[in-house]
Amino acid sequence: DVDGAGTGNPYIFQWHTGNTTSSPISGATSPILSNQNGGATSTFTVLVTNQSNGCQNTAIVAIPDSRVIPDLS
């Protein structure tokens, strides 16, 4: 989630794939990004808009790979 950004009104959230706002994720409009896989190339950008004053800010978030790989020895 976006630390310090607040939640609910007056904030609007839109998550994007990668480190820019050029690839929005359909339906990803919550402060928390769910159902995404982590990994070396798993970066996402959130655009937060304050509806009260029109101010916008972005944050880039890297999601680590949390898989547990079994030891098959």
Side-chain angles (χ1 to χ4, degrees):
D1 85 65
V2 182
D3 294 333
T7 58
N9 286 333
Y11 300 100
I12 297 173
F13 298 85
Q14 178 60 62
W15 288 90
H16 302 260
T17 303
N19 59 4
T20 69
T21 57
S22 62
S23 300
I25 301 170
S26 179
T29 57
S30 169
I32 299 171
L33 182 62
S34 301
N35 300 319
Q36 299 296 321
N37 293 324
T41 60
S42 296
T43 40
F44 300 90
T45 300
V46 62
L47 172 65
V48 182
T49 303
N50 183 329
Q51 295 181 93
S52 296
N53 58 20
C55 287
Q56 294 184 319
N57 201 357
T58 59
I60 297 172
V61 178
I63 299 177
D65 186 350
S66 62
R67 293 179 293 175
V68 176
I69 300 173
D71 183 4
L72 302 175
S73 55

